[in-house]
Each structure stands twice: as structure tokens, then as C-alpha cells.
Amino acid sequence: AQSVTQLGSHVSVSEGALVLLRCNYSSSVPPYLFWYVQYPNQGLQLLLKYTSAATLVKGINGFEAEFKKSETSFHLTKPSAHMSDAAEYFCAVTKAAGNKLTFGGGTRVLVKP
Amino acid sequence: NAGVTQTPKFQVLKTGQSMTLQCAQDMNHNSMYWYRQDPGMGLRLIYYSASEGTTDKGEVPNGYNVSRLNKREFSLRLESAAPSQTSVYFCASSEPWTSGRVGEQYFGPGTRLTVT
């Protein structure tokens, strides 16, 4: 069975500082990995995804994530936080055969002025 | 193009009452999903429908039933609500994984359900 672990349920960053959200996965086969973002009182939307084409993946709003097979990680970063980045972020995994996603517990990001 | 819509947005039920959550998508997607979101647990899959006419259990199906009414609509029914079903429910849709758009799901705005 595949699973996803997000370290830290809450992260607080200052505006302009680096955002780093951690995600580790366990999977018996090479997975597809995703980051979704949920703004307050909204549904989730796809931020970026890894599908084995390139280990460094760029997404919307300046976010990027790096797939590291040796560390079974897919951490999300943004060089400079903006107030509009305040949201909850979910890492997710799926296998090729099927489209069901398994989500991590989520990390809520607070951005301080 | 409304995407994925859900009704109602909020609902309060008493223990033992029943209700149906409605979901519709206008993106001509084959696959649809129902999730529940609880603090610290992320989203957990309740049921999904890979295509019209098929439904399958997800991770937490107990206490729920679903109906894939047609390609657009996928409803979730609570036959006898329990306080443990207090949660935020999300519907999502996607193209089949064979389209190449693996894992790209489109979510509705959610239904916040409280069972007292």
C-alpha cells in the first residue's frame, strides 16, 4: 500500500522568506506525486505534479518540488513567501494503474507580515 | 463552465437522519470521487466511480452509499447519520488515467456537514 507523510501540520513563515513543506512517500513502485493547495473555504486545486519526466517540477505561483528517489521525498519550496500563499497544502500519491489519490495529512501555512 | 458544483454548502443533521449530497461536473469527465476531510487526516476517499455505471469503495465507505446517476452527476447518501460523520465532504472529477492526465482531479467547493 502507498502512503504519504507530511512533516509539520502547521508552518509559519515571514513574508519574503523561504517556504519549505516536507513530504515523504512510501510506495512499492515508482509513484506519481502531487501537491495540491486549498485556500480558505475552497476546494483543492493542483499546484504541481511529478510524473517521471523531470525530477525538478515547477508549478503555479512560483512553487516547485524536487523528487528524490533515494530519500523517498517530494518537498515543496517557494523562495519568497507572499501573503496570498496562506493556505493548506496537501501532498498526494497515485500509481499509474488507476487515478485514485492518497493524501497526506496536510500542512497549513501562515504568512506573517 | 462551472466545473464541479456541490449542494448543499452547509447542513446540520440529527443522529439517525438521512440526507443526500449532490455533485455535478460539466467537464465531461469519466471519473468522479467523494472524499471526506477531517483535521490532520487529509482527504480520505469514500467512494469513486471510474466511469458511468460503475462505483467502487474507497478507504472509508462504511455508512455511505453512492449513485452515479449519469456521466455528470454523482451523489453521496448518508442513510443514518452519526456524529462520526461530521466532516467536510468534497466531490472531485477527473479524466481517466489513460488520458495521460494522471492524478489531476478537479474539486468542488465542499459541503460542511455537522451531525448532532
Side-chain angles (χ1 to χ4, degrees):
Chain A
Q2 52 196 353
S3 67
V4 175
T5 302
Q6 292 183 239
L7 294 177
S9 59
H10 292 80
V11 167
S12 180
V13 299
S14 297
E15 192 172 18
L18 171 73
V19 180
L20 170 61
L21 305 182
R22 299 179 187 276
C23 172
N24 288 89
Y25 68 91
S26 65
S27 175
S28 58
V29 298
Y32 292 79
L33 292 158
F34 308 83
W35 278 98
Y36 277 80
V37 60
Q38 183 181 30
Y39 298 105
N41 300 313
Q42 294 186 25
L44 280 70
Q45 56 184 275
L46 183 65
L47 199 54
L48 51 80
K49 72 176 190 179
Y50 166 76
T51 58
S52 78
T55 57
L56 184 62
V57 182
K58 295 188 184 298
I60 60 173
N61 300 336
F63 283 93
E64 63 182 36
E66 186 172 9
F67 173 71
K68 291 187 176 180
K69 185 177 180 180
S70 61
E71 299 177 7
T72 60
S73 69
F74 189 56
H75 302 333
L76 180 71
T77 60
K78 182 174 180 177
S80 177
H82 190 272
M83 296 299 291
S84 60
D85 296 326
E88 190 159 17
Y89 294 79
F90 294 92
C91 185
V93 63
T94 190
K95 295 181 183 179
N99 232 1
K100 293 182 291 180
L101 292 171
T102 298
F103 287 90
T107 299
R108 189 174 297 276
V109 173
L110 172 66
V111 183
K112 299 177 292 185
Chain B
N1 189 346
V4 179
T5 57
Q6 293 183 236
T7 56
K9 285 186 167 50
F10 301 93
Q11 185 71 48
V12 178
L13 291 178
K14 295 187 188 305
T15 298
Q17 288 185 319
S18 62
M19 79 161 295
T20 300
L21 282 64
Q22 306 287 355
C23 172
Q25 53 91 9
D26 62 3
M27 295 173 283
N28 203 35
H29 286 164
N30 285 318
S31 303
M32 297 186 74
Y33 313 83
W34 276 106
Y35 294 92
R36 59 177 289 172
Q37 182 181 23
D38 301 292
M41 304 186 75
L43 276 75
R44 292 180 292 168
L45 185 65
I46 305 171
Y47 271 93
Y48 70 101
S49 172
S51 61
E52 186 178 355
T54 69
T55 60
D56 283 290
K57 295 178 180 179
E59 182 184 353
V60 289
N62 291 343
Y64 306 95
N65 285 301
V66 291
S67 295
R68 184 73 183 266
L69 304 171
N70 48 54
K71 192 171 185 179
R72 290 187 62 247
E73 298 172 287
F74 189 38
S75 63
L76 178 71
R77 183 161 179 83
L78 287 70
E79 291 291 352
S80 179
S84 61
Q85 294 178 304
T86 293
S87 187
V88 182
Y89 291 85
F90 287 97
C91 178
S93 69
S94 73
E95 296 182 30
W97 68 275
T98 49
S99 71
R101 306 184 75 88
V102 177
E104 293 186 26
Q105 296 186 10
Y106 295 81
F107 286 79
T111 294
R112 189 174 296 274
L113 175 67
T114 302
V115 183
T116 61

